Amino acid sequence: MPPSDSTAIGPSLDVPPGEARAPAQEKANATVAASDAEGCWLRVQEALRARIVPEQFETWFLQARLLVADGPEGAQDVSLAVLNSYTCDWISKYYGPAVESAVRSVLGKGCRVRITVDPEATVPPAHAAPEPAKTDRGAAPGAPIGAPNGQATGLAPGAGLLWNSDVVLNHKYTFENFVVGPCNRFAHAAAVGSGERPGMNYNPFFLHGRVGVGKTHLLQALCFSILERDPSARILYLSCETFVNHFISALQNGDLDEFRTKYRNVDVLVVDDIHILANKERTQEEFFHTFNTLYQAGKQLVLSSDSPPKDIPTLQERLVSRFKWGMVTEVEPPCYETRMAIVKRKSRDQGRELPDAVAQLIAEQIDQNVRELEGAVTRLLGFSSLTGKPLTLELAREALGDLLQVNQGTPTMDDIISAVTGKFGVKLSELQSKRRTKSITHPRQVAMFLARRITRHSLEEIGGFFGGRDHSTVIYAVDRVAKAVRSDPEVREQVESLLGRLGAPSDGPL
Ligand code: ADP
Ligand code: MG
């Protein structure tokens, strides 16, 4: 199926292809007031939920957003903005009629509907609520709001995060739904411990790991467990980006006092993806004071990051040391057995058992990211129920072709980095640093050489992976290693063994 940027359902629109990716500002001018579009989308979502099974709805539509162009009522041009061309094709192919009828039932029969790829317009995952919002975000500051589907977690209705949290808890992100294995056992136990005695056991609780390994899941499970014990706990849950944005607007509007009151009057402050503080000096300064105030008052701080405190670039030393005061723990990518358990669990949750061979195929091929693992199961089950075909290996290959290929034998940047850091005994942070000692520059240059040879990343992208170096530095590195391979047997051996370890073809001249 060729990827497409925009697919018309029903009568086609006369929209030039580039328009689907128009910047947000232009888009706002071309659409009805944001609040109206938001209201329409909520009603269309409701209509869609009535037509589609819940798991499929959550997989394909939670991050979408409806854009309604100006036009005579009942005959507007409507586009459903989605994240990528795969989603666009999938929705068009399998849910086109459902989308069309849902939109028309809300906006009128004359509407023309199109599905467009427009990542900027979509809703980031943390904001994509799994159930229609039942909360009142206009409630008085400090008043707790209801978490969606609170009953599912045993919480009293009305319990939940503080109103100014920027996410609603996902009712599936509980400890019960978290599959524990060697890779995450320690992090899981620490999260359970923090939830039992907030502010006492591990403070701060700092969780780090790659993307998609379950950090946000554990953070939210921790919030649920605190709220189950004490529904009146005042938990503020934020992505770090929100903290940064609030701080900047408080600075601009001279509202710093209000900002501080908001952030410093909580029992638990949870900040997801704290590594975003990198290179933001003033926000780091402010966060330092927020941290101190809460810590001294015995309040719990919970932080997640893509790397340990010392590896967050430019993070002030005093923050690094504070982040290490409590419990710092890593969530590692799941091992094969854990992946199998996750695959089985996710399919069972969706009401189907996967045959062992199919579960094995998925668990073997998707080995780094639980989100992808979960997505593969949902996609396969959806594919099977839509086509009526049984869950065989053949069907899995058909439904998951692109996911499996990506993971098949094509080493990624992460693979290269872990092979190089392992071989030379250096750290990723050193490869990304400005250090120019030979013990660091040589592995860095070898990593760039391998990236150029094996991956499809551009010179700029490769430079970006290694601490934001420009393309001429990458060209120089690639050139230097290529020459050394020819003139220095030791370097040749290093490169050949790395290529072997990465399973990359070593044929062709080096
Ligand atoms: P991160 O925040 O580390 O990027 P998430 O917490 O968003 O990752 O996890 C990605 C997806 O994978 C979520 O849907 C989460 O529920 C699921 N997930 C991750 N780890 C596990 C696990 N051990 N058991 C069950 N589901 C998991
Ligand atoms: Mg996360």
Side-chain angles (χ1 to χ4, degrees), residues 206-210 274-275 304-313:
F206 189 102
L207 201 59
H208 66 96
R210 292 181 189 186
I274 194 81
H275 54 267
S304 84
S305 159
D306 68 356
S307 49
K310 67 176 173 28
D311 292 345
I312 300 177

Side-chain angles (χ1 to χ4, degrees), residues 18-28 63-67 80-84 116-124:
E19 192 150 311
R21 291 180 189 275
Q25 192 50 48
E26 283 170 34
K27 203 152 36 209
Q63 289 191 51
R65 178 162 279 166
L66 204 68
L67 306 171
L80 182 70
V82 299
L83 196 59
N84 51 36
T116 53
V117 178
D118 189 350
E120 274 182 27
T122 59
V123 188

Side-chain angles (χ1 to χ4, degrees), residues 135-157:
T135 57
D136 177 9
R137 292 197 161 238
I145 58 163
N149 206 357
Q151 294 84 339
T153 61
L155 289 179

Side-chain angles (χ1 to χ4, degrees), residues 215-216 272-273 371:
K215 300 182 297 296
T216 298
D272 205 358
D273 295 330
R371 188 174 294 122

